[in-house]
Amino acid sequence: MTQAIPIPELPEKLEPRRSGLGRYVLLGLAANAVIWGAAVTFLAVVPSVYTSGWSLILPGAGAGTNVDLADVGQASSLVSSPYLSSALDPRANYKAVIESDTVLRAAAETLGMTAGIFGKPRVKLPDQTSVIEFTFNGSSPEEAQSKSRALFAAFEKRLDQLRSDESLRRERGIQQATRDTTQKLKDAQGDLLKYKINSGLVSSEQVGGLVATIEQLRKERAVVLSQQQLTTNQMSQLTQTMGTTPRQAANAFVLQADRLFQDYLKEYSESTAALQVQLSKWGPNHPAVIKEKARQQAVRDGLIERGESLLGPGTNEDTLQRLNLVTTTSRGSREDLLRDLVTTQAQAKGLSGQANELTRQIAQMERTLKVRTSQQAGLEGRQRNLQLAEAVFTSTLAKLDIGKSDIYASYPLVQMLIEPQLADAPSFPSRAYTLLGTLLASVLVTAGIAVLWLRRSDETA
């Protein structure tokens, strides 16, 4: 017979431990079921969120404009780099603009959404760069991308509005300055015109022309005085040679040219010749001689009377005898010399009168020059004021035109560096992170229940 092997009895203390372990196992299973159930429910119920990322870049260099204005000056416009100041980052300004309610509402309206549904982007400003990074969430990849594009469009539109407003305000200020410079220009023009009318001095060239004219007149006077001296010397020489003054020579030609005087002179000569013939025949008391003497005296009286009418009072027979040219000894070369004497005297008088006139003109112009010289300073001062007013006016207009083209002074140019991306997978909830978290929670809960069971078992033993 086979002998039965006796089975030892278990200690009584193991029974409670077995029953306690079962309860903790059930508790662990229940806890893990709740954790994994919650995770699965979370993944199934929570809507997926997709994120579209994009970025903008701002230029780092400044820009300058310099316009040369001929005969006026320069007009310049300098736009400094937005990053010259370490205390001011234009990206922070742009972040404030893009997160403003105005931009968000405008972007939401383009998609037919409210601002609350549209949401807000997440903006990041990386250090040591000119880049602005954006991320925008949506219920689908297309919605997130559309929100990003709408936000960028609204952002650019808002920047254009800000630039236009700044340009308008700046233009108003410059227009006010232009009105002031225009008034100053008109005042300078009016002052210069009034001064020209009152003074008679139109330009500084008048003074130079006056100086040149005076110098020319002085040269002419020197030439005339030289000719006058030469003519006077010739006249003196002829006077000494002829023994007759120029006046006497002129009077002689006056008598020679008078027909009545010449008739008297001819009759006087004939009467004198006839008287000589009668005296050679008869005595002085003879009737024929007396008759001829009476005739001669009558002719002499007529001759003297005619001479006085031609030459003036004081003319007598001696004077007429000295001036008588109609003799056989006075014709020919002597008559030519007397004519030269008269001509030379006339030239000397003409040259003297011309020299006196030139002297008078020079003195008058020198007085005018003194007045014009004193007026020239006032004219040049007013011309400088006008040129300055014109330069300021032209420069102001140039700055106004340059300012209109400089629209990126306060709000720098911004460019799309990375286009809004179309997400391949949802950014929330993340299946991998959810499962990892659930697994970690499950392990922790299981470990906690196990530790709790061991501590209870130790206490029971």
Side-chain angles (χ1 to χ4, degrees), residues 65 67 69 74-77 174 178 391-405:
T65 304
V67 179
L69 305 174
Q74 293 182 340
S76 60
S77 174
I174 297 179
T178 303
V392 173
F393 177 76
T394 307
S395 177
T396 303
L397 291 182
K399 287 181 179 179
L400 176 60
D401 292 337
I402 293 174
K404 289 181 179 179
S405 62

Side-chain angles (χ1 to χ4, degrees), residues 118-425:
F118 186 78
K120 290 186 177 182
R122 288 191 298 272
V123 184
K124 184 179 179 182
L125 306 177
D127 295 335
Q128 304 299 322
T129 67
S130 60
V131 177
I132 309 176
E133 296 179 352
F134 299 89
T135 56
F136 214 116
N137 296 330
S139 59
S140 65
E142 293 76 10
E143 180 180 289
Q145 188 181 50
S146 298
K147 285 183 178 181
S148 298
R149 294 186 183 278
L151 181 64
F152 178 68
F155 172 62
E156 282 197 319
K157 183 177 180 181
R158 181 56 179 167
L159 285 183
D160 292 339
Q161 292 174 351
L162 293 173
R163 288 165 182 157
S164 299
D165 182 68
E166 180 196 15
S167 177
L168 180 60
R169 293 174 182 271
R170 183 184 300 174
E171 184 176 350
R172 287 175 182 173
I174 297 179
Q175 286 178 350
Q176 179 62 40
T178 303
R179 284 192 291 268
D180 295 340
T181 56
T182 301
Q183 185 60 43
K184 291 181 179 178
L185 177 60
K186 290 181 179 179
D187 293 342
Q189 290 173 338
D191 186 30
L192 179 60
L193 179 60
K194 183 178 179 181
Y195 186 82
K196 287 181 177 180
I197 294 174
N198 294 334
S199 65
L201 183 62
V202 178
S203 66
S204 299
E205 285 73 13
Q206 285 182 259
V207 177
L210 194 59
V211 172
T213 302
I214 293 175
E215 186 63 25
Q216 182 63 30
L217 290 177
R218 286 174 177 169
K219 291 180 180 179
E220 292 180 4
R221 185 179 63 177
V223 173
V224 170
L225 290 176
S226 176
Q227 293 176 350
Q228 181 187 8
Q229 183 64 35
L230 178 62
T231 304
T232 302
N233 293 336
Q234 292 176 352
M235 185 177 64
S236 300
Q237 185 66 33
L238 287 172
T239 300
Q240 292 177 2
T241 301
M242 298 295 297
T244 304
T245 65
R247 181 175 181 80
Q248 291 174 344
N251 290 337
F253 281 109
V254 170
L255 295 178
Q256 184 183 14
D258 187 71
R259 183 179 297 275
L260 181 58
F261 180 82
Q262 292 300 320
D263 291 340
Y264 277 125
L265 184 62
K266 180 179 179 182
E267 187 176 356
Y268 180 77
S269 298
E270 292 175 353
S271 176
T272 301
L275 179 61
Q276 293 296 329
V277 173
Q278 293 295 334
L279 287 174
S280 64
K281 293 181 179 180
W282 314 106
N285 295 322
H286 190 275
V289 173
I290 293 174
K291 182 180 178 181
E292 195 62 37
K293 284 183 177 181
R295 177 190 169 198
Q296 184 189 40
Q297 184 63 39
V299 173
R300 182 188 295 111
D301 293 339
L303 186 66
I304 294 173
E305 182 180 358
R306 183 58 182 171
E308 286 183 347
S309 65
L310 294 175
L311 304 180
T315 304
N316 51 35
E317 186 176 357
D318 294 336
T319 302
L320 296 177
Q321 288 179 355
R322 287 196 303 270
L323 299 178
N324 183 18
L325 301 177
V326 189
T327 61
T328 56
T329 60
S330 64
R331 291 187 178 274
S333 61
R334 181 176 176 83
E335 184 177 351
D336 293 338
L337 290 175
L338 289 175
R339 184 177 290 108
D340 291 342
L341 179 59
V342 173
T343 303
T344 303
Q345 183 197 28
Q347 291 178 351
K349 286 184 178 180
L351 291 173
S352 177
Q354 187 177 358
N356 293 335
E357 178 62 21
L358 289 173
T359 302
R360 185 192 65 80
Q361 292 181 2
I362 290 173
Q364 181 180 0
M365 287 190 175
E366 285 178 344
R367 290 192 297 268
T368 304
L369 179 61
K370 290 181 179 179
V371 176
R372 289 288 185 260
T373 303
S374 62
Q375 293 174 341
Q376 185 179 12
L379 178 65
E380 291 178 348
R382 287 166 174 80
Q383 287 177 337
R384 284 193 298 270
N385 293 338
L386 178 59
Q387 290 176 351
L388 178 60
E390 288 176 345
V392 173
F393 177 76
T394 307
S395 177
T396 303
L397 291 182
K399 287 181 179 179
L400 176 60
D401 292 337
I402 293 174
K404 289 181 179 179
S405 62
D406 180 20
I407 61 175
Y408 302 109
S410 299
Y411 299 94
L413 179 67
V414 61
Q415 294 175 296
M416 180 74 75
L417 179 63
I418 299 177
E419 295 285 341
Q421 302 297 311
L422 189 65
D424 297 330

